[in-house]
Amino acid sequence: MKDEELKDKIEDQPVENSEETVEKSDEEPAKTEEKPAKVETKLTKIDYDKKEEKPAEKKSSTSNNGVLVIAILALMTGVIALSMLFVQYFVPSISSPVTLYNNDGNNNITFEEGAPIADVAAAVSPSVVSIVTETRTTSWYGSYDSSAAGTGFIVTADGFVVTNKHVVEGARTINIIMDNGTEYKNVKLIGTDPLNDVAVLKIDGVSDLKAVKLGDSKTLRAGQQVIAIGNALGQYQNTVTAGIISGTGRSLTAADSTGSTYENLSDMIQTDAAINGGNSGGPLVNAAGEVIGINTAYASDSQSIGFAIPITGVKGLIRDAIKEGKIQRAVLGVRYYSLDAAKAKELDLGVESGAYLYTSNSSSAIISGGSAEIAGLKDGDVIVAINDTYIGPAGSLSTLVGEYSVGDTVKLTVVRNKQAFEVNATLTAYK
């Protein structure tokens, strides 16, 4: 087999077998297996100036060929561009744990069998917040002050909030407006995921906020009913739209409108629930009222094609942010290629799906000093399951590892030379 037939993949941001290219903007593309559709997107860029953090203030408020372009949903009222920045961590006090619900049966519930859409929306909306950021952008034409609007959702009673990285990236100030109009100013940015479009914020001085329930995205099925809630167009707070899961495991590349900067997004949930500019960071919710995804992008030149990050893939990061007061992503320390049945058969690996530890260059797929090396994994191994959850149907290797925290020990089911064995690995932090 020729090396160029496989893509060199790192564990935490793998390139899927049928890759789509997407742009970050206010519109979304349709993705196809054989030929990627083209879409336009804009991803907001915000210049981040380090500054002394002030405590949160509470205040009442009334309130083109082959390129798939996907709209990243943060809405800016000033200059719009894309930037890949990592933000300094802020360290808050340790707080209450995230409410995690992993009942597989909840993804089988429909709105008719469970609560009506209106009841689910009413129960979840108090936990959904609007995020407004202030930005100073400098260009050849001078400096401009601008603001951006996005969405987030509360995960603990003491004020931890999850959103998209591109909503807050580079922001000089971050303000949060609750469903009831209460506004919190100078909200802290705990940090951003180095490998995914996720950020965690902290509202200080609160203890009685209503938190969402986090569901299990590993058991999602095409056709399952969902709702999306968000700050549509940056002005229609907590807009509710309904639809279904159109597909899972989607890979795409999001780019700014100029096509000059790209960001890979993998293992995404596809939904036809309407997602609009400003919805970025809002929850995708199942009929049980549990968050199963983070709304992130939509296809700009088509209708009813939106994408969300699976919640399973960020549960570990959320736990660590709450417990440690900083962002750290658990990894195995491997580079891999996601296998489907056709490619696995072509390579005669003795499996139908999994993560093939392989690189197309001379470097090893096993990162030196990482968990996989310590556990004895080798180039050419195929990881087929993590804690008995199979890679492929439930998500990619990166997503399944993302459910766990740094320091957790997981059981890996591995196939080497068509022989299966199990080995334990203790996850380390991405560096």
Side-chain angles (χ1 to χ4, degrees):
M1 190 191 100
K2 296 181 180 179
D3 284 347
E4 55 267 28
E5 293 179 6
L6 288 179
K7 294 189 177 180
D8 187 6
K9 301 189 61 171
I10 62 169
E11 169 197 316
D12 305 278
Q13 206 168 10
V15 177
E16 301 299 327
N17 295 322
S18 57
E19 178 181 357
E20 296 188 18
T21 307
V22 182
E23 222 184 88
K24 302 181 175 181
S25 136
D26 287 327
E27 311 185 327
E28 294 211 10
K31 171 184 177 180
T32 60
E33 298 260 1
E34 304 100 33
K35 197 174 185 180
K38 180 176 182 177
V39 183
E40 281 191 54
T41 50
K42 298 175 185 176
L43 181 60
T44 55
K45 171 189 183 261
I46 305 170
D47 292 328
Y48 183 75
D49 296 329
K50 294 182 182 177
K51 66 184 188 64
E52 216 172 316
E53 289 299 314
K54 300 177 183 176
E57 301 170 17
K58 179 177 178 181
K59 148 176 157 182
S60 171
S61 168
T62 55
S63 296
N64 264 294
N65 288 333
V67 177
L68 179 63
V69 182
I70 291 200
I72 297 294
L73 307 173
L75 183 70
M76 269 193 98
T77 59
V79 177
I80 299 182
L82 170 67
S83 176
M84 298 298 192
L85 301 178
F86 297 142
V87 186
Q88 185 176 4
Y89 300 151
F90 298 96
V91 183
S93 56
I94 294 176
S95 78
S96 54
V98 180
T99 304
L100 298 179
Y101 282 66
N102 290 308
N103 184 344
D104 294 356
N106 287 343
N107 282 328
N108 294 319
I109 296 174
T110 66
F111 286 107
E112 290 77 16
E113 295 169 343
I117 290 176
D119 291 350
V120 173
V124 177
S125 287
S127 304
V128 181
V129 302
S130 295
I131 298 172
V132 179
T133 61
E134 297 296 330
T135 303
R136 172 63 62 88
T137 302
T138 302
S139 70
W140 285 5
Y141 302 101
S143 296
Y144 304 87
D145 289 327
S146 57
S147 62
T151 308
F153 53 91
I154 300 165
V155 292
T156 65
D158 60 349
F160 279 90
V161 175
V162 172
T163 186
N164 281 139
K165 176 166 60 179
H166 73 262
V167 170
V168 297
E169 202 166 46
R172 299 175 68 186
T173 62
I174 302 171
N175 299 332
I176 283 181
I177 302 173
M178 308 295 288
D179 182 52
N180 64 5
T182 300
E183 181 176 5
Y184 295 95
K185 292 191 171 183
N186 299 313
V187 173
K188 289 183 179 180
L189 174 62
I190 299 303
T192 59
D193 187 345
L195 298 169
N196 211 341
D197 193 359
V198 178
V200 179
L201 312 177
K202 177 66 170 68
I203 303 171
D204 284 342
V206 295
S207 60
D208 58 353
L209 301 183
K210 183 177 180 181
V212 299
K213 299 175 183 177
L214 302 185
D216 186 1
S217 59
K218 299 193 304 296
T219 59
L220 296 180
R221 299 168 299 129
Q224 175 184 331
Q225 294 175 309
V226 292
I227 62 173
I229 305 177
N231 185 15
L233 303 180
Q235 55 186 320
Y236 302 116
Q237 187 174 5
N238 283 16
T239 296
V240 178
T241 57
I244 61 171
I245 298 295
S246 304
T248 58
R250 306 307 198 204
S251 293
L252 43 100
T253 300
D256 65 359
S257 58
T258 67
S260 61
T261 313
Y262 294 83
E263 178 181 15
N264 292 323
L265 300 171
S266 65
D267 211 22
M268 300 288 281
I269 301 166
Q270 180 186 337
T271 179
D272 70 349
I275 297 176
N276 303 287
N279 281 114
S280 276
L284 189 67
V285 180
N286 64 16
E290 300 167 350
V291 176
I292 47 87
I294 305 171
N295 299 324
T296 302
Y298 67 96
S300 63
D301 61 356
S302 61
Q303 296 182 356
S304 302
I305 299 181
F307 297 91
I309 296 169
I311 199 66
T312 292
V314 297
K315 282 183 177 178
L317 179 143
I318 294 171
R319 287 195 200 95
D320 282 349
I322 293 167
K323 182 179 178 181
E324 305 294 338
K326 64 180 181 180
I327 293 292
Q328 50 183 6
R329 170 172 277 276
V331 295
L332 274 173
V334 296
R335 300 180 179 92
Y336 71 94
Y337 181 83
S338 289
L339 295 170
D340 58 17
K343 182 58 66 175
K345 182 178 180 180
E346 176 186 336
L347 298 175
D348 192 24
L349 295 172
V351 299
E352 292 186 356
S353 63
Y356 180 35
L357 307 188
Y358 167 90
T359 64
S360 59
N361 53 44
S362 59
S363 63
S364 173
I366 312 301
I367 296 173
S368 178
S371 304
E373 182 183 56
I374 295 170
L377 298 189
K378 299 180 179 181
D379 287 85
D381 287 348
V382 181
I383 302 174
V384 296
I386 297 176
N387 284 346
D388 298 322
T389 297
Y390 283 89
I391 294 169
S396 67
L397 174 63
S398 176
T399 294
L400 297 187
V401 169
E403 187 172 15
Y404 300 96
S405 299
V406 172
D408 285 350
T409 298
V410 296
K411 181 179 70 174
L412 306 178
T413 303
V414 182
V415 172
R416 178 182 296 165
N417 299 325
K418 298 185 179 181
Q419 299 296 314
F421 64 93
E422 294 179 347
V423 62
N424 291 333
T426 300
L427 303 176
T428 54
Y430 175 83
K431 297 179 180 179

mmCIF file of all heavy atoms in Angstrom, residues 107 216-222 224 226 245 247-248 269 284 286 292-293 310-311 393:
data_model
loop_
_atom_site.group_PDB
_atom_site.id
_atom_site.type_symbol
_atom_site.label_atom_id
_atom_site.label_comp_id
_atom_site.label_asym_id
_atom_site.label_seq_id
_atom_site.Cartn_x
_atom_site.Cartn_y
_atom_site.Cartn_z
ATOM 1 N N ASN A 107 -31.473 8.299 24.566
ATOM 2 C CA ASN A 107 -31.384 8.660 23.162
ATOM 3 C C ASN A 107 -32.423 7.933 22.318
ATOM 4 O O ASN A 107 -32.516 8.157 21.116
ATOM 5 C CB ASN A 107 -29.977 8.391 22.619
ATOM 6 C CG ASN A 107 -29.008 9.472 23.035
ATOM 7 O OD1 ASN A 107 -29.389 10.624 23.175
ATOM 8 N ND2 ASN A 107 -27.757 9.103 23.257
ATOM 9 N N ASP A 216 -25.308 11.341 26.588
ATOM 10 C CA ASP A 216 -24.318 10.400 26.050
ATOM 11 C C ASP A 216 -24.394 10.414 24.529
ATOM 12 O O ASP A 216 -25.319 9.859 23.944
ATOM 13 C CB ASP A 216 -24.600 8.997 26.581
ATOM 14 C CG ASP A 216 -23.536 7.993 26.174
ATOM 15 O OD1 ASP A 216 -22.575 8.391 25.492
ATOM 16 O OD2 ASP A 216 -23.664 6.806 26.537
ATOM 17 N N SER A 217 -23.423 11.055 23.883
ATOM 18 C CA SER A 217 -23.451 11.137 22.424
ATOM 19 C C SER A 217 -22.955 9.857 21.755
ATOM 20 O O SER A 217 -23.048 9.730 20.531
ATOM 21 C CB SER A 217 -22.624 12.334 21.948
ATOM 22 O OG SER A 217 -21.280 12.245 22.381
ATOM 23 N N LYS A 218 -22.461 8.898 22.519
ATOM 24 C CA LYS A 218 -21.973 7.643 21.919
ATOM 25 C C LYS A 218 -23.119 6.808 21.351
ATOM 26 O O LYS A 218 -22.901 5.945 20.506
ATOM 27 C CB LYS A 218 -21.217 6.807 22.966
ATOM 28 C CG LYS A 218 -19.996 7.478 23.556
ATOM 29 C CD LYS A 218 -19.130 6.490 24.335
ATOM 30 C CE LYS A 218 -19.887 5.766 25.430
ATOM 31 N NZ LYS A 218 -20.364 6.701 26.497
ATOM 32 N N THR A 219 -24.333 7.019 21.847
ATOM 33 C CA THR A 219 -25.452 6.168 21.439
ATOM 34 C C THR A 219 -26.424 6.883 20.496
ATOM 35 O O THR A 219 -27.554 6.428 20.311
ATOM 36 C CB THR A 219 -26.223 5.684 22.686
ATOM 37 O OG1 THR A 219 -26.711 6.830 23.410
ATOM 38 C CG2 THR A 219 -25.329 4.865 23.592
ATOM 39 N N LEU A 220 -26.000 7.987 19.894
ATOM 40 C CA LEU A 220 -26.872 8.711 18.975
ATOM 41 C C LEU A 220 -27.188 7.879 17.736
ATOM 42 O O LEU A 220 -26.372 7.083 17.268
ATOM 43 C CB LEU A 220 -26.206 10.022 18.543
ATOM 44 C CG LEU A 220 -25.952 11.056 19.635
ATOM 45 C CD1 LEU A 220 -25.289 12.286 19.037
ATOM 46 C CD2 LEU A 220 -27.247 11.434 20.342
ATOM 47 N N ARG A 221 -28.387 8.097 17.205
ATOM 48 C CA ARG A 221 -28.823 7.388 16.002
ATOM 49 C C ARG A 221 -29.365 8.384 14.991
ATOM 50 O O ARG A 221 -30.017 9.363 15.350
ATOM 51 C CB ARG A 221 -29.936 6.387 16.354
ATOM 52 C CG ARG A 221 -29.524 5.321 17.350
ATOM 53 C CD ARG A 221 -30.757 4.579 17.859
ATOM 54 N NE ARG A 221 -31.671 5.487 18.532
ATOM 55 C CZ ARG A 221 -32.971 5.575 18.254
ATOM 56 N NH1 ARG A 221 -33.490 4.844 17.300
ATOM 57 N NH2 ARG A 221 -33.742 6.423 18.913
ATOM 58 N N ALA A 222 -29.117 8.130 13.711
ATOM 59 C CA ALA A 222 -29.703 8.962 12.662
ATOM 60 C C ALA A 222 -31.221 8.871 12.761
ATOM 61 O O ALA A 222 -31.788 7.788 12.927
ATOM 62 C CB ALA A 222 -29.226 8.499 11.292
ATOM 63 N N GLN A 224 -32.896 10.424 15.163
ATOM 64 C CA GLN A 224 -33.266 10.777 16.538
ATOM 65 C C GLN A 224 -33.646 12.249 16.616
ATOM 66 O O GLN A 224 -33.008 13.110 16.021
ATOM 67 C CB GLN A 224 -32.083 10.487 17.463
ATOM 68 C CG GLN A 224 -32.273 10.898 18.892
ATOM 69 C CD GLN A 224 -31.023 10.663 19.716
ATOM 70 O OE1 GLN A 224 -30.232 9.765 19.427
ATOM 71 N NE2 GLN A 224 -30.821 11.476 20.740
ATOM 72 N N VAL A 226 -34.071 16.005 18.071
ATOM 73 C CA VAL A 226 -33.257 16.921 18.881
ATOM 74 C C VAL A 226 -33.797 18.338 18.753
ATOM 75 O O VAL A 226 -34.562 18.650 17.830
ATOM 76 C CB VAL A 226 -31.771 16.911 18.445
ATOM 77 C CG1 VAL A 226 -31.116 15.584 18.765
ATOM 78 C CG2 VAL A 226 -31.646 17.247 16.961
ATOM 79 N N ILE A 245 -31.237 14.071 14.167
ATOM 80 C CA ILE A 245 -29.837 13.768 13.874
ATOM 81 C C ILE A 245 -29.784 13.237 12.451
ATOM 82 O O ILE A 245 -30.392 12.216 12.134
ATOM 83 C CB ILE A 245 -29.278 12.714 14.846
ATOM 84 C CG1 ILE A 245 -29.304 13.213 16.287
ATOM 85 C CG2 ILE A 245 -27.855 12.317 14.436
ATOM 86 C CD1 ILE A 245 -28.413 14.376 16.571
ATOM 87 N N GLY A 247 -26.865 12.565 10.814
ATOM 88 C CA GLY A 247 -25.737 11.655 10.685
ATOM 89 C C GLY A 247 -24.721 11.928 11.777
ATOM 90 O O GLY A 247 -24.796 12.939 12.475
ATOM 91 N N THR A 248 -23.777 11.034 11.933
ATOM 92 C CA THR A 248 -22.706 11.198 12.920
ATOM 93 C C THR A 248 -21.366 10.881 12.269
ATOM 94 O O THR A 248 -21.306 10.348 11.159
ATOM 95 C CB THR A 248 -22.915 10.263 14.127
ATOM 96 O OG1 THR A 248 -22.964 8.901 13.666
ATOM 97 C CG2 THR A 248 -24.217 10.588 14.866
ATOM 98 N N ILE A 269 -21.484 15.756 14.813
ATOM 99 C CA ILE A 269 -22.881 15.383 14.660
ATOM 100 C C ILE A 269 -23.495 16.288 13.595
ATOM 101 O O ILE A 269 -23.334 17.505 13.648
ATOM 102 C CB ILE A 269 -23.653 15.568 15.977
ATOM 103 C CG1 ILE A 269 -23.028 14.724 17.098
ATOM 104 C CG2 ILE A 269 -25.130 15.228 15.803
ATOM 105 C CD1 ILE A 269 -23.529 15.124 18.482
ATOM 106 N N LEU A 284 -27.119 21.264 21.788
ATOM 107 C CA LEU A 284 -27.999 20.387 21.022
ATOM 108 C C LEU A 284 -28.553 19.397 22.029
ATOM 109 O O LEU A 284 -27.790 18.728 22.736
ATOM 110 C CB LEU A 284 -27.218 19.674 19.914
ATOM 111 C CG LEU A 284 -28.053 18.882 18.897
ATOM 112 C CD1 LEU A 284 -28.914 19.825 18.058
ATOM 113 C CD2 LEU A 284 -27.139 18.051 17.994
ATOM 114 N N ASN A 286 -31.361 16.324 23.454
ATOM 115 C CA ASN A 286 -32.235 15.214 23.085
ATOM 116 C C ASN A 286 -33.603 15.367 23.746
ATOM 117 O O ASN A 286 -33.853 16.300 24.503
ATOM 118 C CB ASN A 286 -31.588 13.859 23.412
ATOM 119 C CG ASN A 286 -31.367 13.649 24.908
ATOM 120 O OD1 ASN A 286 -31.942 14.345 25.752
ATOM 121 N ND2 ASN A 286 -30.523 12.686 25.246
ATOM 122 N N ILE A 292 -26.425 16.766 24.188
ATOM 123 C CA ILE A 292 -25.653 15.709 23.516
ATOM 124 C C ILE A 292 -24.662 16.288 22.504
ATOM 125 O O ILE A 292 -23.891 15.550 21.897
ATOM 126 C CB ILE A 292 -26.570 14.643 22.867
ATOM 127 C CG1 ILE A 292 -27.708 15.288 22.061
ATOM 128 C CG2 ILE A 292 -27.184 13.763 23.941
ATOM 129 C CD1 ILE A 292 -27.375 15.612 20.661
ATOM 130 N N GLY A 293 -24.662 17.621 22.340
ATOM 131 C CA GLY A 293 -23.711 18.236 21.421
ATOM 132 C C GLY A 293 -23.595 19.730 21.649
ATOM 133 O O GLY A 293 -24.440 20.343 22.307
ATOM 134 N N PRO A 310 -19.716 16.369 19.535
ATOM 135 C CA PRO A 310 -20.308 15.394 20.470
ATOM 136 C C PRO A 310 -19.897 15.708 21.910
ATOM 137 O O PRO A 310 -18.718 15.925 22.190
ATOM 138 C CB PRO A 310 -19.726 14.057 20.012
ATOM 139 C CG PRO A 310 -19.218 14.288 18.637
ATOM 140 C CD PRO A 310 -18.815 15.723 18.572
ATOM 141 N N ILE A 311 -20.855 15.718 22.808
ATOM 142 C CA ILE A 311 -20.564 16.075 24.197
ATOM 143 C C ILE A 311 -19.659 15.057 24.868
ATOM 144 O O ILE A 311 -18.858 15.403 25.746
ATOM 145 C CB ILE A 311 -21.872 16.257 25.008
ATOM 146 C CG1 ILE A 311 -21.593 17.068 26.283
ATOM 147 C CG2 ILE A 311 -22.522 14.907 25.313
ATOM 148 C CD1 ILE A 311 -21.182 18.480 26.045
ATOM 149 N N PRO A 393 -18.686 2.988 15.574
ATOM 150 C CA PRO A 393 -20.107 3.237 15.820
ATOM 151 C C PRO A 393 -20.340 4.271 16.920
ATOM 152 O O PRO A 393 -21.258 5.084 16.834
ATOM 153 C CB PRO A 393 -20.638 1.857 16.245
ATOM 154 C CG PRO A 393 -19.661 0.874 15.692
ATOM 155 C CD PRO A 393 -18.337 1.568 15.706
#
